[in-house]
Amino acid sequence: MPSFIEVAPDSHFPIENLPYGVFCRPGTKQPAIGVAIGEHVLDLAVLADAGYMDLAELNGTRPFGQPTLNAFMALGHHASRAVRARLQELLDADTPTLRDDADRLERALVPRSAVSMQLPMEIGDYTDFYASRQHATNVGIMFRGRENALMPNWLHLPVGYHGRASSVVVSGSDVVRPMGQTRPKDDEAPVFGPSRQLDFELELGAVIGSGNDLGHPIPIEKAGEHIFGFVLVNDWSARDIQKWEYVPLGPFLGKNFATSVSPWIVPYDAIAPFRVMGEPQTPEAGNPKPLPYLRQAGPRCLDITLDVLLETEQMRTDGVTAHRISQSNARNLYWSPEQQLAHHAVNGCNLRPGDLLASGTISGETPDSYGSMLELSWRGEKPLPLPTGEERTFLLDGDRLTITGYAQGGGYRVGFGDVEGIVLPTGTAISRPGGLNLDS
């Protein structure tokens, strides 16, 4: 599908993608809604002002004049599908409407390198799942032994917990090493101080579009209609704090200090062509058959290549490029985004536009595909070697962690861009993109 805007074959943002984001133009703090196309951002408010987005599915609303995508997402999948089709029509190489409107095009098209990206949605609620079988198995082996690696419920339902939405930040936000209680040895009293086991978690996030009313479950057959799109997620984790605090109620301070997301939301329809079967959920494959409300017909997993890159301060000083420490794939998820959503709402829980459902750490079967430092260094017992001669068991101050991902099509890629952040020392005062000031 050629566009009149030049797009490199390895670009994450061809016309087949058109992910949505919120950006600020150079020298302004006014958020605007746009889509990424090649090396540019297309301002949707400019197109709407010209009448190019007068679609019946928008119900007379003006969702592109808002500071977030929530109003647009709330219109549902019919509206998002119609807007996507209209944008692909306008950007098609054979459509003169926008191509030949030089004045409008100049105002609507902005270089991506010139804008500052904002958190694209207002997140009311954030839920973190535990949907990768290999990750759950690895962690279970570390803490309970191989015979009891998976808990009895894991193959029957998508395990999850409610996280903290206020500390979800957009890529580029620095992360301050958290403080908390830890217990270094089982026979010693707990101590208070900076986490010594700061970690990343490689995750895929589903962003809710239209929600559901309280008391009304979402059937698995309709779950995809409630997912607006997907983002990459780094759920930063303080493993030593988490280990001491999580019994009996689960994660708390070891998780809620920061969760980073990529700034571009890849539409549900853009990633749909990359569905694959995934691990069979059948007795014949040695797995229990899910209960009826979780049974998903057809391919349920997503073939998305996911890379994790680490750059240390010494690398920056020596001019050494960031080192890939892991390559995984979203197809390693046992429970699909639709299954996660259906389970989340089966008790009548009401999901709302902008809510974030993260997959939990995505790990493959080989050590180089593990999605956390906890696994890559196997609980710190196997330090990870780096090109500079350094080693890492967990993240140190000054480390930059970047997650990137894409699905490969025939001659094009549907990508997410990056989600990245630098670890800063405990006590550092920061101001995060998106207007959230955390100096205190």
Side-chain angles (χ1 to χ4, degrees):
M1 187 182 296
S3 169
F4 67 84
I5 296 175
E6 184 177 355
V7 179
D10 61 349
S11 171
H12 281 206
F13 307 125
I15 194 173
E16 290 88 354
N17 189 352
L18 301 183
Y20 297 94
V22 174
F23 67 98
C24 291
R25 290 173 179 263
T28 75
K29 294 185 178 180
Q30 182 64 39
I33 292 175
V35 294
I37 175 73
E39 296 301 316
H40 294 83
V41 180
L42 189 65
D43 191 324
L44 298 191
V46 174
L47 299 188
D49 290 342
Y52 290 160
M53 306 305 293
D54 290 342
L55 302 171
E57 290 84 355
L58 297 183
N59 302 324
T61 63
R62 297 183 61 81
F64 305 123
Q66 306 295 321
T68 70
L69 284 159
N70 289 59
F72 176 44
M73 294 189 290
L75 295 174
H77 76 284
H78 293 296
S80 60
R81 184 164 291 171
V83 167
R84 175 175 162 76
R86 178 58 171 155
L87 289 172
Q88 287 184 323
E89 177 189 9
L90 289 171
L91 290 167
D92 189 278
D94 295 329
T95 304
T97 308
L98 181 60
R99 183 194 65 196
D100 297 346
D101 188 348
D103 179 66
R104 191 74 57 180
L105 186 60
E106 183 179 4
R107 280 185 281 160
L109 210 57
V110 190
R112 278 197 296 115
S113 59
V115 305
S116 60
M117 299 304 298
Q118 311 297 299
L119 193 65
M121 66 286 195
E122 181 179 351
I123 304 172
D125 289 291
Y126 161 50
T127 303
D128 193 26
F129 284 91
Y130 196 48
S132 166
R133 181 172 186 166
Q134 189 61 53
H135 172 68
T137 300
N138 288 343
V139 174
I141 290 172
M142 290 181 202
F143 293 98
R144 293 185 299 273
R146 189 171 296 276
E147 296 76 15
N148 301 303
L150 288 181
M151 298 297 283
N153 63 351
W154 199 93
L155 290 169
H156 294 273
L157 57 84
V159 174
Y161 73 95
H162 291 291
R164 180 74 179 176
S166 66
S167 53
V168 179
V169 296
V170 72
S171 174
S173 304
D174 297 326
V175 173
V176 175
R177 183 176 298 275
M179 303 275 283
Q181 275 197 36
T182 61
R183 192 181 187 186
K185 295 183 179 180
D186 292 342
D187 58 351
E188 295 179 357
V191 298
F192 179 80
S195 169
R196 296 179 180 275
Q197 296 182 353
L198 186 60
D199 202 353
F200 73 92
E201 289 188 346
L202 167 63
E203 306 193 21
L204 181 70
V207 180
I208 300 300
S210 58
N212 59 305
D213 293 330
L214 184 66
H216 293 261
I218 297 174
I220 186 70
E221 298 82 8
K222 298 289 186 180
E225 298 178 7
H226 293 266
I227 298 176
F228 179 76
F230 298 95
V231 294
L232 299 180
V233 178
N234 180 359
D235 191 24
W236 303 88
S237 300
R239 300 297 186 185
D240 44 357
I241 296 174
Q242 181 183 1
K243 178 185 175 183
W244 174 232
E245 74 179 2
Y246 84 100
V247 177
L249 295 181
F252 188 33
L253 300 184
K255 291 280 195 175
N256 68 6
F257 59 96
T259 300
S260 300
V261 299
S262 53
W264 296 107
I265 304 178
V266 175
Y268 185 88
D269 285 348
I271 211 71
F274 303 97
R275 290 202 169 273
V276 291
M277 291 305 296
E279 183 178 351
Q281 297 177 331
T282 62
E284 293 78 11
N287 299 318
K289 192 174 185 177
L291 292 174
Y293 79 94
L294 286 172
R295 293 175 192 168
Q296 185 174 0
R300 72 181 192 279
C301 293
L302 297 170
D303 185 8
I304 304 171
T305 298
L306 300 167
D307 288 337
V308 182
L309 308 174
L310 178 62
E311 179 191 71
T312 69
E313 282 190 316
Q314 185 175 331
M315 287 180 182
R316 290 193 288 275
T317 300
D318 296 347
V320 177
T321 58
H323 178 62
R324 188 176 74 188
I325 59 175
S326 174
Q327 184 174 79
S328 189
N329 194 295
R331 69 191 304 163
N332 291 320
L333 289 173
Y334 184 83
W335 296 106
S336 73
E338 291 82 3
Q339 289 175 314
Q340 294 167 40
L341 187 152
H343 182 65
H344 199 309
V346 74
N347 65 345
C349 174
N350 55 321
L351 302 176
R352 297 176 293 183
D355 283 357
L356 177 65
L357 308 186
S359 64
T361 305
I362 304 173
S363 294
E365 295 183 357
T366 59
D368 60 353
S369 65
Y370 293 164
S372 67
M373 292 298 297
L374 178 69
E375 296 164 275
L376 290 168
S377 72
W378 204 256
R379 207 177 177 183
E381 297 171 5
K382 301 177 181 179
L384 193 68
L386 299 175
T388 50
E390 301 173 270
E391 293 182 335
R392 288 291 185 275
T393 53
F394 293 95
L395 299 175
L396 299 183
D397 294 347
D399 287 351
R400 183 198 304 271
L401 200 289
T402 302
I403 296 172
T404 188
Y406 63 89
Q408 183 65 54
Y412 70 95
R413 288 180 173 180
V414 170
F416 293 78
D418 299 339
V419 55
E420 68 173 35
I422 296 178
V423 178
L424 300 181
T426 299
T428 304
I430 60 173
S431 180
R432 288 181 170 160
L436 182 62
N437 192 304
L438 300 183
D439 287 345
S440 59

